[in-house]
Amino acid sequence: MRRRTVTPGSGLEEVLDSLATAPAAREEASAPAPARSRERETLQTEFAFELPRGYVDDEGHVHRSGTMRLATARDELRPQIDLRVKENPAYLSVVLLSQVITQLGTVTDVHAGIVERMYATDVAFLQDFYRRINSEGHTHAAVTCPLCHGSFEVDLSGGRLGES
């Protein structure tokens, strides 16, 4: 295995692209052609969410609903070379969330500056949401009622408690 040194200006994109295509090309050449299935397996790659408080833009509009896509390996590698993350490792979650949030209300260009201006409760919600969809593959959480001790499941992706 060859080591490659990547510096901030050396083209991380090209290195990641070359690494991604090399193993795939070898696998295609050696693997037999799979039998085509009539039913195509689908994978949900975007998940809707609703922020507890909401992002307030410069005009004073509150944006609560949004979508987050599944993270790729590239999404998790890219913040490692970001100078803001190197100076302050806690900034990693801001950069990472800004890459995977595809829409926030009417805002379609979600960048680190937007995530920085979110309320802490919304950032904590998004961090948990990110963890759930990327490691567990769903947005459901098992909860227990503190009054009756009944167990049930809630969907964290949208809707407020008590709403239908």
Side-chain angles (χ1 to χ4, degrees), residues 21-32:
T21 57
R26 284 194 300 268
E27 287 177 15
E28 287 178 10
S30 65

Side-chain angles (χ1 to χ4, degrees), residues 5-76:
T5 303
V6 179
T7 58
S10 70
L12 176 64
E13 298 291 328
E14 292 83 20
V15 173
L16 291 174
D17 287 337
S18 68
L19 292 174
T21 57
R26 284 194 300 268
E27 287 177 15
E28 287 178 10
S30 65
R36 298 277 177 198
S37 172
R38 290 184 190 244
E39 287 185 29
R40 205 170 202 184
E41 187 177 326
T42 59
L43 173 67
Q44 184 178 358
T45 59
E46 286 203 348
F47 296 83
F49 63 83
E50 189 171 329
L51 295 174
R53 299 211 185 275
Y55 165 69
V56 181
D57 63 17
D58 294 334
E59 289 81 37
H61 298 109
V62 179
H63 304 276
R64 291 187 61 219
S65 61
T67 55
M68 182 184 291
R69 67 173 173 78
L70 289 176
T72 63
R74 179 174 289 169
D75 292 325
E76 295 204 351

Side-chain angles (χ1 to χ4, degrees), residues 1-4 19 23 26:
M1 181 160 103
R2 287 186 357 205
R3 285 188 181 214
R4 296 183 186 191
L19 292 174
R26 284 194 300 268

Side-chain angles (χ1 to χ4, degrees), residues 5-155:
T5 303
V6 179
T7 58
S10 70
L12 176 64
E13 298 291 328
E14 292 83 20
V15 173
L16 291 174
D17 287 337
S18 68
L19 292 174
T21 57
R26 284 194 300 268
E27 287 177 15
E28 287 178 10
S30 65
R36 298 277 177 198
S37 172
R38 290 184 190 244
E39 287 185 29
R40 205 170 202 184
E41 187 177 326
T42 59
L43 173 67
Q44 184 178 358
T45 59
E46 286 203 348
F47 296 83
F49 63 83
E50 189 171 329
L51 295 174
R53 299 211 185 275
Y55 165 69
V56 181
D57 63 17
D58 294 334
E59 289 81 37
H61 298 109
V62 179
H63 304 276
R64 291 187 61 219
S65 61
T67 55
M68 182 184 291
R69 67 173 173 78
L70 289 176
T72 63
R74 179 174 289 169
D75 292 325
E76 295 204 351
L77 290 171
R78 197 175 284 155
Q80 300 299 326
I81 63 167
D82 192 302
L83 294 177
R84 298 168 295 186
V85 174
K86 286 183 178 183
E87 290 175 9
N88 181 2
Y91 202 77
L92 181 122
S93 64
V94 171
V95 174
L96 189 57
L97 288 173
S98 70
Q99 292 180 151
V100 296
I101 297 172
T102 57
Q103 186 173 357
L104 186 57
T106 58
V107 180
T108 56
D109 180 27
V110 179
H111 51 81
I114 289 176
V115 178
E116 284 176 351
R117 294 191 314 255
M118 287 183 178
Y119 294 109
T121 53
D122 289 336
V123 173
F125 169 84
L126 289 169
Q127 289 171 331
D128 184 56
F129 192 71
Y130 174 92
R131 183 187 56 77
R132 285 187 180 279
I133 68 172
N134 284 290
S135 60
E136 298 174 14
H138 60 80
T139 60
H140 300 281
V143 295
T144 303
C145 176
L147 299 175
C148 70
H149 302 290
S151 297
F152 56 97
E153 192 173 84
V154 295
D155 187 355

